[in-house]
Amino acid sequence: MKISVSAALGASLVLGGCNTMPPEVTPAFTPADPTYGITDNHYHPVVSYTHREPTDPKNWRKLNDDLSPANKGAGS
């Protein structure tokens, strides 16, 4: 049994070596291509700060009713 498994493994390795090489995969553009052009790069800060002031508490029922898609009095 060991001989047949090792023979099958060896045959698959030998036959695998006869296979042709797959085509080289290259991207659609290369960074070294001068005709590609320069992309427009803008600086975007990773951390941004927005100053916010504390506000007084508001009526949460009115806030929920204002944001609710259902008509008032329509129920759940």
Side-chain angles (χ1 to χ4, degrees), residues 16-51:
C18 297
N19 196 2
T20 60
M21 292 295 294
E24 184 176 337
V25 178
T26 58
F29 64 91
T30 61
D33 187 8
T35 61
Y36 180 66
I38 298 172
T39 58
D40 191 17
N41 293 330
H42 296 326
Y43 173 74
H44 299 286
V46 177
V47 179
S48 63
Y49 174 75
T50 304
H51 181 71

Side-chain angles (χ1 to χ4, degrees), residues 6 13-14 21-22 27 29 50-51 56 66 74:
S6 62
L13 289 175
V14 169
M21 292 295 294
F29 64 91
T50 304
H51 181 71
D56 292 330
D66 292 343

